[in-house]
Amino acid sequence: MGILAAKVAIVTGAGQGVGQGIALALAGEGAAVAVLGRTMDKLESTCALVRERGGTAEPFLCDVTGTEAIPAVVDDVVARFGGVDILVNNAYSGSYGPLLSMSDDAFQKGFRSGPFAAFAFMKACHPHLKRRGGGSIVNLVTSAMVRWDPSTYGAYAAAKQALRSLTRTAAAEWGRDGIRANNIAPHALSPGLKWWTETNPEEAEEFRSTIPLGRIGDCEADIGRAVVALVGPDLRYLTGATVPLDGGQANFG
């Protein structure tokens, strides 16, 4: 039995990339995983990978920008699995580019899919986490929040910084309910980043050279396994933290 046996996890944006890696890692330690996202084919692919390894996973269609529908999605997960112990807010769809060329709607897009969606999931999951004797929330942020030059990443960094503050507040307010909340700021070889590295090999090599460990993280082995550690019993006294999973590239000090 894994360290997460009998636990139930919700992972948003789990159809590919980092979300899929986290779902696979959690399931590998025995958690039943609710795989959330906008595209059923991708969700089914993740669930199939989990099941091939002997794990349990079910797909749930969810566009996180439709925050009014999120409580019903959480209810569906609870009806299927009996509760929630772990919430991972990974889904994000934002905008990039210089501030002066960005529309208000484009700027707000990242907030709708980021802190607004996470807030809705966290509130909807709170009573279920508390009822199960506590649980763990992991929100995904970014090293762009602290990079020396956030040019063209300003809207992304702003939305993620808001999410970082939200996480810290939940850790402070919900700790007495047994609920822990932490952030991770990962670099991982998601499909998008993989495409970029293959399309721009010279720029990709320059990017890799700025990572002290010399490589871009693996979605499951590096990011997913770190999430397993965060939500597992060995780090039960850690809450309100931001953990940089970027091979030492960013300075969160």
Side-chain angles (χ1 to χ4, degrees):
M1 294 179 66
I3 63 171
L4 302 178
K7 302 293 186 182
V8 177
I10 291 175
V11 183
T12 69
Q16 63 181 8
V18 173
Q20 183 182 79
I22 293 171
L24 291 172
L26 293 172
E29 285 294 341
V33 183
V35 178
L36 274 59
R38 295 180 297 182
T39 307
M40 183 55 76
D41 287 348
K42 292 181 178 180
L43 303 182
E44 289 284 13
S45 294
T46 297
C47 291
L49 289 172
V50 169
R51 293 166 187 154
E52 285 172 9
R53 301 180 184 187
T56 300
E58 294 292 340
F60 295 83
L61 280 175
C62 178
D63 181 346
V64 300
T65 62
T67 55
E68 69 285 345
I70 286 173
V73 175
V74 172
D75 287 344
D76 288 345
V77 172
V78 171
R80 172 62 182 83
F81 292 118
V84 177
D85 303 278
I86 299 161
L87 169 65
V88 180
N89 284 303
N90 163 70
Y92 177 81
S93 178
S95 301
Y96 306 88
L99 296 179
L100 288 178
S101 65
M102 187 172 296
S103 68
D104 289 351
D105 185 66
F107 183 81
Q108 293 164 14
K109 181 181 179 182
F111 282 83
R112 290 192 293 270
S113 65
F116 292 178
F119 180 54
F121 270 107
M122 290 161 69
K123 284 203 304 179
C125 287
H126 177 274
H128 303 291
L129 296 170
K130 183 178 179 181
R131 188 175 302 120
R132 304 267 281 199
S136 189
I137 297 167
V138 177
N139 292 329
L140 273 73
V141 294
T142 175
S143 60
M145 301 182 306
V146 297
R147 65 186 296 165
W148 68 273
D149 179 9
S151 298
T152 74
Y153 290 93
Y156 176 50
K160 292 295 189 176
Q161 192 68 269
L163 181 54
R164 186 185 186 189
S165 296
L166 176 64
T167 307
R168 176 62 188 167
T169 304
E173 293 183 355
W174 297 351
R176 297 300 177 91
D177 297 326
I179 298 169
R180 297 186 298 114
N182 291 290
N183 299 300
I184 62 170
H187 276 163
L189 201 58
S190 62
L193 185 54
K194 184 178 181 181
W195 174 87
W196 179 79
T197 60
E198 293 173 348
T199 306
N200 305 279
E202 291 184 6
E203 292 178 46
E205 184 54 39
E206 183 178 350
F207 174 75
R208 270 191 294 268
S209 71
T210 67
I211 302 174
L213 290 184
R215 62 182 179 83
I216 300 171
D218 179 83
C219 292
E220 180 181 357
D222 294 315
I223 311 306
R225 291 300 306 174
V227 172
V228 167
L230 271 177
V231 303
D234 290 342
L235 292 179
R236 64 182 185 178
Y237 201 53
L238 180 67
T239 193
T242 297
V243 180
L245 300 176
D246 60 2
Q249 186 185 51
N251 177 13
F252 277 84

